[in-house]
Amino acid sequence: MRLGIPVSDEYPPIGVSSGPGSAQTRAVEQLPTYRSQISITQGWFVDRRAVTAQYADYVISKALQKRASKSTLQDMMAASVAGQYFNWSFWSYKPKAEGGYWATPMWDVRSRFGKDFADRLLAFTVRSMIDSPDEGAHCNFDLYFYHKLQQGYSVINSDPYRMTEITRIIGISGIDLNTPKAYFDFSATAIKRRNGSYTINVAVLNTTDVQAKDGQLRLNFAPDVRLLRLPDGAQKDTSTTLQAARVIPIDIIGAHETKKLAIEFVPMGGDFPPGVTFFIL
């Protein structure tokens, strides 16, 4: 609250899970607060850092959901960054074994310029995403978040040297703000077979002049399904407790080339009810 990030008046019940990591948060916007899913993994429940990590992620997720303009994927990524950093900063401790996309360079900024500065910098970055989400908008999360970081910095400091140093710290972490990125269009068709299974054919088109490599697709199903066929190299997604969730690596997609994938599955019990959306890419 000291940082000016709005805090929800309500909070969902906390459950215990056997999932990966220390905590899982799913903030559902369209339903009452009690329908959101908050859980802490067994073995971490006695660790107070797991509780504060989950709380920080939920608060920021809900704050981003309340604004008029939304980008669900970018919001999830931003909430993960800010939640992880603020949890480390609250305890003034970052475990050596833990790292985080954008959260780690923000921690390095904290080490360089102090807790108060880094906390306020990230708080105003998040507030900028809440107050003017379309300002500096970009389909590349790295560039969008960096634009918002610059806006947050302009509120608390006018020294160009310090922002230059922050940019250098971000670059050292491996986040590339200069190299052209590849962007993709996804299309999928579903076919129900006579044996009751479903086949999903997915086409991933690289729409740019940049060759893409070392990528991955994450597949989630709701409700869960029993998988019959997957692309080579697919692995269980350990970031969720969904049994059918998979991570599919993609080595290379050339400029303006299309990669095609096929997934076949059956419902775990009977058929899907009419109108059920069960596939998320």
Side-chain angles (χ1 to χ4, degrees):
M1 295 180 70
R2 176 181 64 86
L3 297 172
I5 297 174
V7 177
S8 176
D9 294 332
E10 297 180 299
Y11 196 73
I14 300 176
V16 181
S17 80
S18 58
S22 60
Q24 298 84 41
T25 302
R26 182 169 178 263
V28 182
E29 179 183 10
Q30 299 88 351
L31 298 175
T33 300
Y34 73 87
R35 294 290 300 278
S36 292
Q37 298 176 7
I38 303 296
S39 60
I40 296 177
T41 306
Q42 288 178 331
W44 283 85
F45 210 84
V46 294
D47 190 326
R48 292 181 294 173
R49 289 184 295 122
V51 178
T52 53
Q54 180 272 333
Y55 176 77
D57 188 66
Y58 177 79
V59 165
I60 295 168
S61 295
K62 293 298 290 185
L64 291 173
Q65 283 181 353
K66 291 180 179 179
R67 66 183 204 247
S69 179
K70 304 178 183 68
S71 173
T72 302
L73 178 58
Q74 291 192 342
D75 289 354
M76 290 172 59
M77 295 171 73
S80 176
V81 171
Q84 189 170 35
Y85 167 82
F86 282 127
N87 191 48
W88 291 338
S89 189
F90 177 80
W91 294 103
S92 293
Y93 175 67
K94 175 189 176 296
K96 291 183 179 179
E98 290 186 15
Y101 179 61
W102 273 99
T104 295
M106 290 305 304
W107 179 261
D108 294 337
V109 170
R110 183 187 190 274
S111 300
R112 175 71 173 82
F113 296 111
K115 168 181 168 60
D116 182 66
F117 173 81
D119 284 5
R120 293 178 65 225
L121 173 61
L122 189 52
F124 278 108
T125 298
V126 172
R127 289 173 64 178
S128 177
M129 296 179 74
I130 296 170
D131 298 335
S132 57
D134 295 329
E135 185 181 4
H138 200 284
C139 56
N140 179 340
F141 176 79
D142 289 342
L143 294 179
Y144 177 62
F145 195 79
Y146 180 68
H147 293 161
K148 290 301 181 186
L149 196 71
Q150 290 176 309
Q151 291 166 17
Y153 180 81
S154 68
V155 176
I156 62 175
N157 201 300
S158 59
D159 180 2
Y161 164 76
R162 183 169 287 196
M163 190 64 220
T164 300
E165 179 65 9
I166 291 169
T167 302
R168 186 187 71 82
I169 292 171
I170 294 169
I172 290 174
S173 75
I175 295 174
D176 189 350
L177 301 173
N178 299 306
T179 302
K181 302 295 192 295
Y183 304 110
F184 307 97
D185 282 341
F186 295 86
S187 62
T189 57
I191 302 173
K192 184 177 180 181
R193 300 188 175 277
R194 291 182 180 179
N195 64 356
S197 71
Y198 292 80
T199 296
I200 303 289
N201 295 303
V202 181
V204 186
L205 170 64
N206 180 356
T207 63
T208 62
D209 296 325
V210 180
Q211 176 177 273
K213 59 182 180 179
D214 300 327
Q216 62 183 22
L217 298 178
R218 291 181 180 269
L219 308 178
N220 290 326
F221 301 83
D224 231 337
V225 300
R226 182 164 59 88
L227 296 168
L228 301 179
R229 179 164 57 103
L230 283 168
D232 293 339
Q235 298 179 348
K236 178 76 173 65
D237 186 351
T238 58
S239 68
T240 175
T241 56
L242 291 170
Q243 293 300 310
R246 291 294 186 270
V247 176
I248 300 174
I250 295 180
D251 294 331
I252 294 176
I253 304 181
H256 302 288
E257 288 186 358
T258 299
K259 189 85 169 182
K260 295 184 178 181
L261 310 169
I263 301 100
E264 185 178 2
F265 55 88
V266 294
M268 284 189 172
D271 204 348
F272 293 112
V276 167
T277 300
F278 52 80
F279 181 70
I280 303 172
L281 179 62

